[in-house]
Amino acid sequence: MRINGKAMRTIRPAADGRSVEIIDQTKLPHELRIASLRGLNDAAVAIKTMQVRGAPLIGVTAAYGLALALLDDASDQALRHAAAHLIKQRPTAVNLRWAIEEVTRVLQPLPVEQRTNAAWEHAARMADDDVEVCQSIGAHGVPLLAEIAKRKPPGTPVNVLTHCNAGWLACVDWGTATSPIYQAHDAEIPVHVWVDETRPRNQGAALTAYELGSHGVPHTIIADNAGGHLMQRGQVDIVIVGTDRVAHNGDVANKIGTYLKALAAHDTGVPFYVALPGSTIDWRCDDGASIEIEERSADEVLKMVGRDENGAVVTVEIAAPGSPAANPAFDVTPARLVTGLITERGVTDASRAGLDRLYPEHGAQS
Ligand code: MRU
């Protein structure tokens, strides 16, 4: 994606060969700040504090985190320690476990002195693969938007509703849910995106709106509660969201509030699609009930960060003083509410059979 005319990725190895550069997403949309990760702990903190976030990017950051850890010590014990440290930073996005297991599988059989280079190479390959996979997700999603556009009066935009940020900021480039949107926009299919603000952390208002705006895609930020109303009034043609983990039966975990959008879409007959790379499917997870849901700090609900009238970024309290708050960060949308899964291998129904058909090499295992 281009920011201020410059092509950017969300993560890349630095020129010094000993650190990794990321876009610090906790500073957006107020400041585009590049942060350096200089060791295992920096990578772990970046994942935990959501300087990097979004399932695919969490995975790639973990891969680079292992590479950073092995700069000092590439022994079996160091590899095990780094993997264990990274995996506990966020529980719901399965790409974290996937990336750590992939890198470990590649490194473990190698002699210790070859591991560090191999880890850097493998992390870079994962980043490149993510870009390719997200591009393919977009290519498979565009026909859905083109089909809707054909049924609308010429020049009328296809209205897409999305939740949270499943954009290029959540991946290395392109995004998952946003990839069909960017590709349709670039192909001159008129699109307009309803962007759920996505309380409590506002990934929609802060991140999705930022990236859509940077790419010139028409969009409107809405309060999370507005989606059902817009669907009832025929102002949403399609919902496309991302996901942090898809169970083998097609149940989908995604940012808290996704389930409510799926219910409203189901009630109003609006198609509800989920875009994902194969690395987000948890083949060991039979259905959504066993997916661990991350509980985050109550402060995310009780406080908000924003820019004041002097341009300073400040945190303010927004709730009744002393009231407690709960903050489950994800929910599970049952497969029966999902119209289809848009993957790098094509679009399928959200079911065990659908996933097995697209990924026969995994389906057979479970
Ligand atoms: O808590 P976050 O911001 O990491 O949650 C992100 C999401 O819920 C995204 O929709 C999901 O990771 C898919 S990203 C392509």
Side-chain angles (χ1 to χ4, degrees):
M1 291 287 111
R2 303 186 86 77
I3 297 290
N4 303 327
K6 198 173 147 213
M8 286 190 88
R9 284 185 173 190
T10 54
I11 189 165
R12 61 169 190 205
D16 65 8
R18 296 191 61 84
S19 62
V20 174
E21 291 175 351
I22 55 158
I23 295 175
D24 181 350
Q25 299 190 28
T26 62
K27 304 294 177 209
L28 286 171
H30 308 295
E31 184 191 348
L32 179 63
R33 188 188 293 181
I34 306 300
S36 283
L37 310 181
R38 300 182 190 284
L40 169 65
N41 206 45
D42 284 356
V45 168
I47 293 169
K48 178 93 194 161
T49 61
M50 296 174 63
Q51 286 179 299
V52 291
R53 42 145 303 283
L57 181 58
I58 291 171
V60 173
T61 306
Y64 275 116
L66 289 174
L68 286 166
L70 297 200
L71 281 172
D72 299 327
D73 179 357
S75 66
D76 281 353
Q77 199 194 0
L79 182 56
R80 267 197 309 275
H81 164 76
H85 187 53
L86 287 164
I87 209 162
K88 58 183 191 218
Q89 300 308 322
R90 292 198 72 191
T92 305
V94 75
N95 303 60
L96 178 58
R97 184 187 82 200
W98 170 83
I100 290 169
E101 289 183 354
E102 277 286 301
V103 177
T104 306
R105 185 182 55 77
V106 170
L107 299 188
Q108 213 139 40
L110 298 178
V112 169
E113 60 282 4
Q114 289 179 17
R115 284 182 181 168
T116 310
N117 278 347
W120 283 90
E121 277 168 24
H122 202 69
R125 196 167 320 130
M126 272 187 173
D128 288 345
D129 285 352
D130 186 71
V131 177
E132 217 172 283
V133 160
C134 286
Q135 195 166 8
S136 298
I137 291 169
H140 289 295
V142 167
L144 298 171
L145 302 178
E147 195 50 45
I148 296 169
K150 264 202 267 169
R151 298 197 301 263
K152 301 193 76 158
T156 323
V158 176
N159 285 303
V160 185
L161 184 143
T162 194
H163 191 67
C164 194
N165 172 263
W168 75 269
L169 285 165
C171 304
V172 178
D173 206 344
W174 288 106
T176 57
T178 55
S179 186
I181 296 169
Y182 287 127
Q183 293 188 34
H185 174 81
D186 292 349
E188 296 183 5
I189 298 169
V191 281
H192 164 263
V193 186
W194 297 111
V195 178
D196 279 356
E197 61 175 344
T198 317
R199 281 282 291 146
R201 284 186 69 102
N202 294 321
Q203 289 95 326
L207 305 177
T208 305
Y210 174 81
E211 58 170 89
L212 290 173
S214 303
H215 198 76
V217 178
H219 63 281
T220 307
I221 299 167
I222 51 172
D224 293 320
N225 297 330
H229 162 74
L230 294 171
M231 290 183 214
Q232 274 181 331
R233 296 287 166 107
Q235 290 175 268
V236 180
D237 296 304
I238 185 171
V239 179
I240 310 179
V241 297
T243 170
D244 286 79
R245 188 183 301 226
V246 176
H248 196 168
N249 73 338
D251 288 350
V252 167
N254 193 47
K255 182 54 53 192
I256 193 78
T258 302
Y259 171 48
L260 291 176
K261 292 299 135 77
L263 283 172
H266 188 72
D267 188 51
T268 53
V270 172
F272 183 95
Y273 282 90
V274 180
L276 64 134
S279 52
T280 303
I281 304 163
D282 186 352
W283 301 98
R284 298 176 211 163
C285 177
D286 247 15
D287 59 48
S290 55
I291 296 175
E292 187 182 347
I293 300 296
E294 178 179 15
E295 275 289 334
R296 292 190 63 87
S297 163
D299 273 359
E300 292 182 353
V301 176
L302 300 172
K303 297 175 183 175
M304 262 181 148
V305 180
R307 199 193 277 281
D308 72 11
E309 65 272 20
N310 301 316
V313 176
V314 293
T315 301
V316 293
E317 294 178 0
I318 58 165
S323 290
N327 189 10
F330 298 92
D331 59 26
V332 174
T333 298
R336 68 186 157 78
L337 299 177
V338 178
T339 311
L341 304 173
I342 309 170
T343 79
E344 75 276 22
R345 294 194 188 176
V347 180
T348 185
D349 50 313
S351 69
R352 186 175 290 265
L355 288 173
D356 287 355
R357 209 168 31 244
L358 276 191
Y359 299 92
E361 72 278 24
H362 289 290
Q365 274 175 23
S366 341

